[in-house]
Amino acid sequence: MDIRSNVEKIKEKIKKAAEKVGRNPEEIILLAASKTQPPEKIIQAYEAGIRYFGENRVQEGMKKIDQLKDKLPEAHWHLIGGLQTNKAKYAVRYFELIHSLDRKELADELNKRAKKIGKIQDVLIEVNIGEEESKYGVKPDQLEELFKYALEKENLKILGLMCIPPYFEDKEKSRPYFKKLREMKNLLEEKYKKTLPHLSMGMSHDFDVAIEEGATIVRIGTAIFGERNV
Ligand SMILES: *Cc1c(COP(=O)(O)O)cnc(C)c1O
């Protein structure tokens, strides 16, 4: 398993998927989902050209960021996992973009903590697009209300939407969910006259389909690093 060649293959696949639908591959961010990966592997991914890293857990992310920030000066760190309200204060200190805003209480807390340190915190709203019990994310029918609520928060900036659709062996089955997320984003943009530049969707097994449906950030773990040891 060679991280460099994995990254090359993924970039090639991103390019193909983008060109298939007439998009510019340069506008798609390849984010390495680095949960459970040790610093050495993250450094290898950086050396292979990755500049965006997504961690799932605040504590694990903080530790890695502290260890790596001098070594990886151009790395951007995102929080992609669900966020507990009591960790919001650490999340705003450490992460450039939080992909998992999914409730008002969390919007309040992120806003308050960002204000305290004089930051405008970039966020995505995570939508539980398959309405699964086990998943984080706001329910689709409550998205608009949360969006309006977060829009009023001075120290939050909403950059778009994120989703993790139900898992299917057949990646084509993810397509309707990706499409639905794109349509939700378009509706909000039109109705509220806001530009939402990002759709964070697509993982190792379905990122090409997500790109065809408009993803601007793909979050890829195993296809870069190999299977995770848990
Ligand atoms: C782990 C993870 C990914 C990447 O999953 P892979 O299937 O390993 O590519 C993407 N997004 C989130 C939120 C994750 O937790």
Side-chain angles (χ1 to χ4, degrees), residues 67-79:
Q67 267 179 301
L68 290 168
K69 65 176 173 236
D70 296 332
K71 288 193 186 114
L72 314 184
E74 291 171 26
H76 302 268
W77 295 92
H78 292 187
L79 183 69

Side-chain angles (χ1 to χ4, degrees), residues 182-196:
R182 167 166 47 83
E183 289 168 353
M184 289 172 147
K185 181 179 90 92
N186 291 348
L187 269 174
L188 292 173
E189 286 184 306
E190 273 170 37
K191 187 157 171 193
Y192 295 91
K193 309 282 173 240
K194 283 275 162 198
T195 305
L196 302 172

Side-chain angles (χ1 to χ4, degrees), residues 33 35 56 80-81 162 164 202-205 219-223 228:
K35 60 173 178 266
N56 281 68
I80 61 176
M162 180 271 218
I164 309 175
M203 306 182 7
S204 291
H205 73 293
R219 309 175 311 266
I220 300 183
T222 43
R228 284 180 285 276

Side-chain angles (χ1 to χ4, degrees), residues 31-35 37 54-57 79-82 99-100 126 136 162-164 167 200-207 218-228:
L31 176 142
S34 48
K35 60 173 178 266
Q37 302 301 340
E55 284 287 331
N56 281 68
R57 290 167 180 272
L79 183 69
I80 61 176
H99 291 223
S100 49
E126 178 171 358
Y136 290 99
M162 180 271 218
C163 77
I164 309 175
Y167 180 83
S200 167
M201 58 190 196
M203 306 182 7
S204 291
H205 73 293
D206 59 10
F207 68 87
V218 290
R219 309 175 311 266
I220 300 183
T222 43
I224 295 176
F225 296 109
E227 290 299 326
R228 284 180 285 276

